[in-house]
Amino acid sequence: WKLGAVARALIPRLALPADEPRIGGMLPPGRAGALVNLALAMAGRTAVNLNHTAGPVQVERMCTIAGVRTVISSKQYLRRIGDPALPGRVLHAEDLLPGLSTLTVLFHALRHLLLPARWLQGSAPDAVAAVVFSSGSTGDPKGVELTHRQILANCTAIADGLHVIGGQDVLLNPLPLFHSFGLVPGTWLGLTQGISTANHPDPNDAKAIGDLFQAVKATFLISTPTFVRGYLRRIEPAQFASMRFAVVGAERCPAELRAQFRERYQADLLEGYGCTELGPVVTISLPTVEHGGEREVRQRDGSVGRPLPGIMVRAIDPETRAELPPGRDGLLVVLSPARMRGYLGRDDLTAKALVGEGYSTGDIGK
């Protein structure tokens, strides 16, 4: 209740122009980042988390494409990343959050407790909750539009597929908010499923991540294979003692890395596959389960795992678009309730990316 109340109380302090539906953000994952994204969702605005690593020219271009005139950031975080120039009006979390009175927060907490949710909602299921821009430092960035319904669908599918439980599991997320993996499973998964989440702003800081994981007794971790290699060198097994599994994506995860991880930490390193346009997670190599004396191994080398509940993956002939039988390499097309609404302002690119109701990943697989 406090989280929702603080986010609601934050909205008027943002003084957002009525004619600015999309608001920029440049914050690390964590309390401030979660509060700002939650407040924007409650206010019926679209969050555009900006990728500072793309450089000032690309950041300015993202703001132009999305019509962003207000960027919410943090003085401390901006200093940490080299004080990048930000276009338009800049608000700082340090100036916004301390000004919230206890009485105001209590008022909003009571409203959340007493009023029906439909009276409080500031948006609609099919309104765009987030625009996530494609990575890269060259070419015109593409803004992927993800609605509230699509983000909720992916969070529900992840929770169902991995059997993570609110009130029991604790997620550690070191991935940035401008990356779809850091935004949806890294942030919205916890907010929507009641899963406690610990965040760290630097995925390369293995020592701090190990200390944090141990301190909060996290049960699972999301990261990338590249970062995990650093964890193997610098994080002691005792620090990961509470881990059930870790999920990695964004690049291929070699079999030897999974074997090293299992040997050192006695936990599975699960490879996932997805893309921003699909909200983002499509498949995950799932944890081994035992029930009633039966043991099911749900991962194998050379595979990126099973589609999450509610998601269908098809392989089609790239030329004829005919569906191929199992075992045949083809262009992977995914049907998912988390599929993007489209590319912001680019109906032409959206049409090219879709095959019927499915999204063409551009990847070959079987």
Side-chain angles (χ1 to χ4, degrees):
W1 295 113
K2 183 179 179 182
L3 180 71
V6 171
R8 184 75 66 176
L10 183 62
I11 295 172
R13 292 185 61 81
L14 299 177
L16 300 175
D19 62 346
E20 191 178 356
R22 290 176 286 273
I23 307 299
M26 191 173 284
L27 287 160
R31 291 178 183 175
L35 275 169
V36 167
N37 277 269
L38 184 57
L40 293 176
M42 288 178 164
R45 306 302 178 101
T46 300
V48 185
N49 291 285
L50 301 166
N51 181 359
H52 64 89
T53 66
V57 174
Q58 287 290 75
V59 168
E60 187 170 0
R61 181 60 182 148
M62 292 173 197
C63 291
T64 299
I65 292 171
V68 167
R69 304 195 305 273
T70 301
V71 178
I72 306 170
S73 189
S74 156
K75 296 173 185 175
Q76 182 179 351
Y77 185 61
L78 290 176
R79 285 195 297 270
R80 183 186 182 113
I81 61 177
D83 285 317
L86 297 177
R89 170 176 171 247
V90 180
L91 303 176
H92 298 110
E94 294 92 337
D95 300 329
L96 297 168
L97 295 174
L100 297 178
S101 72
T102 303
L103 191 62
T104 301
V105 173
L106 180 61
F107 168 73
H108 286 291
L110 289 172
R111 289 183 72 229
H112 275 266
L113 280 165
L114 300 175
L115 298 180
R118 65 180 181 276
W119 292 10
L120 297 169
Q121 64 189 24
S123 194
D126 294 312
V128 178
V131 170
V132 183
F133 276 96
S134 57
S135 57
S137 57
T138 59
D140 212 27
K142 294 183 292 186
V144 175
E145 296 180 297
L146 297 175
T147 68
H148 292 270
R149 189 191 303 274
Q150 289 155 1
I151 290 174
L152 284 166
N154 206 235
C155 289
T156 303
I158 294 167
D160 288 349
L162 290 173
H163 299 293
V164 290
I165 301 171
Q168 295 183 25
D169 281 295
V170 179
L171 165 65
L172 193 144
N173 168 45
L175 300 178
L177 289 168
F178 59 74
H179 192 287
S180 58
F181 203 26
L183 178 66
V184 178
T187 302
W188 281 116
L189 176 67
L191 292 176
T192 61
Q193 305 297 315
I195 296 167
S196 296
T197 305
N199 301 273
H200 192 273
D202 185 358
N204 282 303
D205 191 348
K207 183 181 184 305
I209 288 170
D211 291 342
L212 179 60
F213 199 100
Q214 186 174 26
V216 301
K217 293 181 171 59
T219 58
F220 70 112
L221 162 78
I222 62 172
S223 191
T224 72
T226 296
F227 296 137
V228 165
R229 290 188 189 280
Y231 305 161
L232 283 167
R233 291 192 298 269
R234 300 187 60 196
I235 297 178
E236 295 299 321
Q239 294 176 291
F240 276 175
S242 58
M243 179 183 288
R244 290 175 52 206
F245 57 81
V247 179
V248 291
E251 59 185 277
R252 182 175 174 272
C253 183
E256 61 269 20
L257 183 62
R258 294 199 303 275
Q260 290 169 14
F261 193 90
R262 157 57 66 179
E263 181 180 0
R264 182 161 173 78
Y265 301 121
Q266 304 303 304
D268 287 330
L269 182 63
L270 306 173
E271 183 171 7
Y273 167 78
C275 51
T276 301
E277 289 86 348
L278 291 164
V281 186
V282 175
T283 69
I284 298 177
S285 296
L286 301 174
T288 298
V289 293
E290 295 188 20
H291 184 73
E294 297 292 333
R295 186 169 187 264
E296 182 184 7
V297 179
R298 303 184 296 170
Q299 54 184 292
R300 66 182 181 195
D301 291 345
S303 170
V304 290
R306 299 180 177 183
L308 291 175
I311 296 176
M312 178 188 293
V313 181
R314 300 187 300 191
I316 66 171
D317 186 290
E319 302 298 329
T320 67
R321 300 295 176 97
E323 187 170 347
L324 298 173
R328 287 272 303 277
D329 281 343
L331 177 64
L332 295 180
V333 174
V334 178
L335 285 82
S336 170
R339 194 207 77 197
M340 67 171 180
R341 189 171 85 166
Y343 294 113
L344 178 63
R346 294 300 305 267
D347 292 343
D348 55 332
L349 294 179
T350 303
K352 288 180 181 178
L354 302 183
V355 177
E357 292 299 311
Y359 172 75
S360 174
T361 64
D363 293 327
I364 299 298
K366 60 186 175 184

